[in-house]
Amino acid sequence: MSRTLPPPALPNAPGELRQDPLGGGWVAITAGRAARPEAFLVDEGPVRGPLGCPFCQGNEHLTPPEVWADREPGSGPDRPGWRVRVVPNKFPAFAGQAVAAPERNGGLYRAAPTAGLHEVVVHNPDHTATLADLPQPAVAGVVAAWRQRLAAHADGPFGAVMVIVNQGRTAGASLEHPHSQVFATAGRPERVAAELDRLAGDGCAACAMVAAERDGPRVVERAGGLLTVCPWASSVPFEALLLPVGHQARLQHGDAALAAALRGLLGRLRGAAGARAPYNLVLHTAPPGVDDFHWHLHLLPRLTTFGGFELGTGIVINVVDPDHAAAALRAAPG
């Protein structure tokens, strides 16, 4: 598998603890650890193929009834002819209405239902085409589906609504056919709450990041009013952050610009880290009822795994300096 990973630093090279200005978490940039044998993971395992895949065209009966679709004119719901298809997740992590949950043991054990909703966005009828493989208009169609589902839930009783992509087994994908997922939670997760505190008003950390990074060494690309950078406090090798240059709470009608930036970034990741490099995407926009926020998209490649130190301390070790990661991504074809 072809890769252009940056050469590792000396094994005893000094590292640095850095705090993420968006979420507040801490990471340790320790590039010397990249010299270890098998420092990077690959997404292994045979390709399973489309046989019996519930997301392939013609198998619409294997999913719950669709809630939205971009279709060819004249094609009916839950039948072939769709370009992008959205269905409820058959095995939802969050579902149902929020109800009051009693606290037990005097408040020591706090609990609440996993209320909310969970949808699947099937990107394309092609079983093997990832977002990096699709032509730009098809990626724009996926972005339009994300925007439509976010808008559909904008007035719901939710503390957060987000879109995620798990690409590859290592990134948590249980089905091979490329797709994304929409999660809406009744409560507000800690990471979302932390970003809301930091990405609002005159002190918006994302706006400050744009000003600090827009002409610096960690920029991967700037086009269409969007900036892509490898964050100074990157938590994983080749982490990238894609965000609008201006302060925008939610996705605007810029599907083509975001599609071009996203497709280009994923193409660069493939060139730098390998054709089957697994990754997660996380799209954060303003939750329902919030109008002051700076939307952004996290790209989190899954080339390394967490060990006991990360789980025991909450501090993530990243073995690739973000300056070097940005240089490798710029050098790779988009």
Side-chain angles (χ1 to χ4, degrees):
M1 179 171 53
S2 175
R3 294 186 181 189
T4 57
L5 294 171
L10 293 175
N12 60 350
E16 185 173 52
L17 281 169
R18 298 179 180 180
Q19 186 177 29
D20 172 20
L22 269 61
W26 286 87
V27 303
I29 308 296
T30 56
R33 287 179 61 79
R36 294 172 301 150
E38 304 297 330
F40 298 102
L41 304 175
V42 295
D43 210 43
E44 297 179 340
V47 175
R48 286 168 281 189
L51 184 63
C53 172
F55 295 163
C56 279
Q57 198 153 220
N59 289 343
E60 291 80 9
H61 62 287
L62 297 178
T63 71
E66 66 192 45
V67 296
W68 183 87
D70 175 19
R71 290 187 156 276
E72 299 286 349
S75 62
D78 300 312
R79 295 180 179 275
W82 52 272
R83 290 177 285 253
V84 184
R85 187 167 183 258
V86 183
V87 300
N89 195 302
K90 195 172 182 177
F91 307 99
F94 292 86
Q97 300 294 317
V99 295
E103 293 187 349
R104 296 180 173 86
N105 198 18
L108 175 62
Y109 298 117
R110 300 172 60 192
T114 54
L117 62 84
H118 190 177
E119 297 176 342
V120 176
V121 181
V122 187
H123 296 167
N124 194 267
D126 190 325
H127 180 84
T128 61
T130 69
L131 289 171
D133 298 318
L134 293 175
Q136 184 176 323
V139 179
V142 174
V143 172
W146 293 348
R147 184 165 49 78
Q148 198 281 339
R149 298 319 295 161
L150 290 168
H153 305 309
D155 297 324
F158 303 120
V161 183
M162 69 180 65
V163 178
I164 66 100
V165 175
N166 299 334
Q167 182 59 51
R169 289 184 181 90
T170 305
S174 58
L175 289 173
E176 190 174 75
H177 195 128
H179 61 282
S180 45
Q181 299 175 68
V182 181
F183 286 89
T185 58
R188 185 158 290 164
E190 289 185 6
R191 171 73 194 220
V192 175
E195 289 195 351
L196 285 177
D197 288 341
R198 290 171 167 82
L199 273 65
D202 294 336
C204 172
C207 289
M209 183 180 291
V210 168
E213 299 282 358
R214 63 192 310 162
D215 296 314
R218 288 178 289 275
V219 171
V220 177
E221 187 176 23
R222 186 173 70 181
L226 299 169
L227 181 71
T228 303
V229 300
C230 288
W232 174 75
S234 293
S235 60
V236 295
F238 295 101
E239 177 180 348
L241 186 70
L242 197 161
L243 69 170
V245 171
H247 190 77
Q248 299 176 9
R250 295 179 175 85
L251 293 181
Q252 305 295 330
H253 291 274
D255 299 343
L258 178 54
L262 177 57
R263 186 178 183 277
L265 174 60
L266 295 176
R268 292 177 186 277
L269 176 66
R270 180 165 56 185
R276 296 186 66 185
Y279 62 82
N280 299 109
L281 294 174
V282 181
L283 174 62
H284 282 158
T285 70
V290 175
D291 294 321
D292 189 359
F293 189 66
H294 200 131
W295 75 261
H296 54 280
L297 181 76
H298 301 270
L299 167 64
L300 300 162
R302 300 294 294 274
L303 303 175
T304 54
T305 188
F306 291 167
F309 180 82
E310 286 88 349
L311 297 174
T313 64
I315 299 172
V316 179
I317 296 175
N318 179 9
V319 301
V320 175
D321 187 287
D323 292 54
H324 296 157
L329 289 172
R330 287 195 304 270

